Amino acid sequence: MVSQNVVVSDAKTGIITVSTVSNSSVFTPSAQKPPTAPGYISISKKKLLKNLEINGAQSQRLNSWVDSMRASSPTHLKSLSSFSSEEEHNSWIKRHPSALDMFERIIEEARGKQIVMFLDYDGTLSPIVDDPDRAFMTSKMRRTVKKMAKCFPTSIVTGRCIDKVYSFVKLAELYYAGSHGMDIKGPTKGFSRYNKDKPSVLYQPAGDFLPMIDEVYKQLVEKTKSTPGAKVENNKFCLSVHFRCVDEKKWSELALKVRSVVKNYPTLKLSQGRKVFEIRPMIKWDKGKALEFLLESLGFENCNDVFPIYIGDDKTDEDAFKLLRERGQGFGILVSKFPKDTSASYSLQDPPQVMNFLQRLVDWKQMQQ
């Protein structure tokens, strides 16, 4: 009897785990093939699913993983959305109305309070693209964010490393929280009126993990180089394995490769975002904690007259959305064209709508001055 690893995933959380199953209990003799490497299954996804039907629990878990992988694909989302009833979509919109449609209500809630802006980058300020190194924001979006930073304290909160996202944004007057908030840096001195009398902000809660992250990065690059389209990105305090350009037939194989590396590092956790696997230190820190830290750095820790607005499109942004709900201050805006489970209060469909919303905030603020 030979045991094999089967990758499974929770479709809601995106957390990936590996279960060990026996060939004799799951696979029929005709389906068994010699493994290409220890711990791997050389079998098509279609045949694997067919053979797993005799084990309902395992089939359900694998289907959950496949659904989770597909859920990060805009193409699949568009296909799935056609099966959703109009009533269901309208119900979601009622719970998470457009921030543009509700702009006047938002302004009324924010009146007399200090607005503080938090913006994700990929999928929020820039479109999601096949090559993560070419996720450029438009010059018009850059001008809008620059004007926003003159009106309100503004931060970029992203899974990217600070150097990479700064090369895209190129605005020294912003606060940057890279690596999912594990690398925080304030504006360059003299570029922002919000940090004139405050010490420079620099916080790296996962600093001890740097050698480990570099070690895992090298292993992942080596492990995934045989998978066409896979790209490993070193975000300094976390890693991303992009599978946006990987053939869907290779997804399970890639996930097994990634997991075979990460399982040797119990202090790292593996999760899934929009067509990307994320590897992060297992510490109590996320984008919500980063938001809280930045508010404290700005002097708004215990203020009742602060109004944080967080705009993001990914699962990792949910930590910030939840924090704002718990605080009862400000709100989150989810960027998505399709209904998703979210703690955000409002929604916008895409980066152009985000830019429209930001510009309206700037226009409103300038009218108040």
Side-chain angles (χ1 to χ4, degrees), residues 28 34 108 112 132 138 150 165 168 175 178 181 195 216 237 258 287 289 299 328:
T28 62
E108 194 56 39
T138 65
K150 290 181 179 180
V165 78
F168 289 143
Y175 288 80
N195 71 334
V216 174
F237 294 101
V258 173
K287 288 185 175 182
K289 294 288 187 183

Side-chain angles (χ1 to χ4, degrees), residues 121 132-137 142 160-171 176 233:
Y121 183 76
D133 289 334
R134 300 190 62 79
F136 304 119
M137 67 192 304
R142 182 177 293 105
R160 303 267 196 165
C161 69
I162 286 181
D163 290 344
K164 171 63 77 174
V165 78
Y166 186 83
S167 72
F168 289 143
V169 179
K170 300 175 182 177
L171 295 175
Y176 289 89
E233 185 176 13

